Amino acid sequence: MTKFESDIKKAPYSSETIFNFLSDFDHFGEVIPKDKISNWHSEGDSCRFTIDPVGEVGLRIIEKEEFGTIKYTAEGKTPFNFFLWIQLKEVDADDTRIKLTIKADMNPMIKMMASKPVKKFLDVLSDGIANHKYE
């Protein structure tokens, strides 16, 4: 398994607010920059979208630890199998730290081609989550 991690980001909201928002894919699309993905489709606990140059990706929520962790897995036809974790750590009422991790099962050829886009996706997504206005 290949592991990718985002930098730790800071958001001025409670972990409960962010957790509740990200636990529903109908909201999740709001934190992903529209210029990075296309063909967004969500159904509550699952979603599908296209990200270049990786291709079509499907995600499904498989585990939630209230206000702390949301774990997603690849769903459907994806270029490689992977898990995505969003970890939230509340430091104060209006200060939550966010870290994203992807563990992916990639062969050496896919790893060579996809590592940079996967890391960039993590950075863009963690920025989107940290900078979103949760009102």
Side-chain angles (χ1 to χ4, degrees):
M1 285 284 218
T2 303
K3 185 176 178 179
F4 302 91
E5 294 180 322
S6 73
D7 293 334
I8 296 171
K9 308 290 179 165
K10 180 180 174 179
Y13 298 93
S14 70
S15 61
E16 180 178 0
T17 298
I18 299 169
F19 178 89
N20 289 338
F21 187 88
L22 296 177
S23 292
D24 184 343
F25 275 121
D26 292 342
H27 298 143
F28 199 90
E30 294 177 33
V31 299
I32 299 175
K34 305 298 180 252
D35 62 329
K36 304 295 180 197
I37 64 159
S38 58
N39 304 320
W40 175 263
H41 177 74
S42 66
E43 295 177 3
D45 67 347
S46 66
C47 71
R48 301 198 72 66
F49 55 93
T50 303
I51 183 167
D52 288 327
V54 177
E56 186 175 282
V57 176
L59 290 174
R60 182 172 42 88
I61 296 172
I62 56 170
E63 192 177 314
K64 296 179 200 175
E65 180 186 305
E66 196 167 86
F67 314 141
T69 306
I70 306 170
K71 186 176 179 182
Y72 310 86
T73 190
E75 182 173 72
K77 186 182 171 213
T78 55
F80 48 86
N81 193 29
F82 65 91
F83 294 96
L84 166 67
W85 283 268
I86 296 179
Q87 296 166 287
L88 306 171
K89 176 146 180 68
E90 189 170 297
V91 177
D92 208 349
D94 290 326
D95 180 358
T96 297
R97 305 301 158 97
I98 301 159
K99 182 178 176 187
L100 278 59
T101 304
I102 288 180
K103 288 189 179 174
D105 187 11
M106 300 176 170
N107 68 40
M109 181 71 146
I110 289 183
K111 183 177 177 180
M112 190 174 70
M113 292 183 343
S115 287
K116 215 175 201 174
V118 169
K119 177 68 174 132
K120 185 169 176 71
F121 172 72
L122 269 185
D123 291 339
V124 165
L125 183 57
S126 61
D127 283 341
I129 292 168
N131 297 320
H132 186 74
K133 305 289 183 235
Y134 297 92
E135 302 299 333

